[in-house]
Structure formats: C-alpha cells, structure tokens
Amino acid sequence: AAAAGPNDHLSGHLSSDTIFLMAKRRSRPRVKTLGVSEFKSHCLALVDDLHRNGGEIVLTKRGNRVAKVVPLVDPRTPPLHGLFKGRLRIHGDIAEVSFADLWELK
C-alpha cells in the first residue's frame, strides 16, 4: 500500500482548490510599511490595492508604528459558514466520548 499523504483523509470530501484555499488562509498576509504622509498622498490607490489583493499596511510616524490598515474581508478567503455542510457525518454519541477501547491499561 502507498504511504498516505498529509491530506489523504480529506480526499473525496473537499476539492483540491478548497484545500489549497484553506492552507493559503493560514499563510502570513503581505505587509507594506509606509509613513503616514505617504499613505495620505496615495490613500485611495492603496485602499483599492488592499481590497483587491488583501494584505495589510502598517503606518509609521517618525519611524514608530502607529496604526495598521487591513481589509474588512480578505477577497481571497471563501466564507467559512457552511463550508462543510453535507460533507461531515457524526457517528455515535459525541457527548459521551470514551477512549478506553483504544488504550491498554496495565
């Protein structure tokens, strides 16, 4: 038998695109650091870029970090609500879990 890959338990349940997007969601956002005066000069273009591509902008004043601008919704991230609807099944009683049958007590 072939060795199982890290996502084999998901095969047949989620598309590879969904798994990729879930992994991508955990990646670090693109961070751009700007002085407040530069941000003020290019504000509209920077906000449009932030909305389109995600990431964050850290604003500095005299070299000190003073604020962070982030999009309200990252356009690359699919909504989590309902992601697994119809794809998961509960077997047995999840309120009364016992692992006794999995462990040998000596």
Side-chain angles (χ1 to χ4, degrees):
N7 291 323
D8 281 356
H9 62 285
L10 298 173
S11 63
H13 300 286
L14 298 174
S15 70
S16 59
D17 290 337
T18 302
I19 294 169
F20 172 75
L21 288 172
M22 290 170 65
K24 188 172 183 164
R25 183 179 306 119
R26 293 185 200 108
S27 65
R28 294 188 61 117
R30 181 176 58 104
V31 178
K32 188 182 290 189
T33 303
L34 298 172
V36 291
S37 59
E38 184 178 355
F39 178 77
K40 184 179 174 184
S41 302
H42 305 286
C43 181
L44 294 176
L46 290 166
V47 170
D48 287 342
D49 180 60
L50 196 63
H51 177 71
R52 249 188 333 273
N53 302 314
E56 59 188 48
I57 300 170
V58 175
L59 302 177
T60 61
K61 190 172 184 180
R62 296 186 187 105
N64 297 316
R65 298 164 56 116
V66 294
K68 180 168 36 173
V69 181
V70 296
L72 290 177
V73 176
D74 187 344
R76 300 169 297 174
T77 305
L80 292 177
H81 183 59
L83 181 67
F84 293 107
K85 185 175 184 176
R87 296 181 179 187
L88 298 177
R89 290 193 187 127
I90 297 173
H91 298 279
D93 186 359
I94 62 171
E96 295 291 327
V97 178
S98 173
F99 296 104
D101 58 330
L102 300 175
W103 297 91
E104 261 185 55
L105 299 177
K106 294 182 182 183

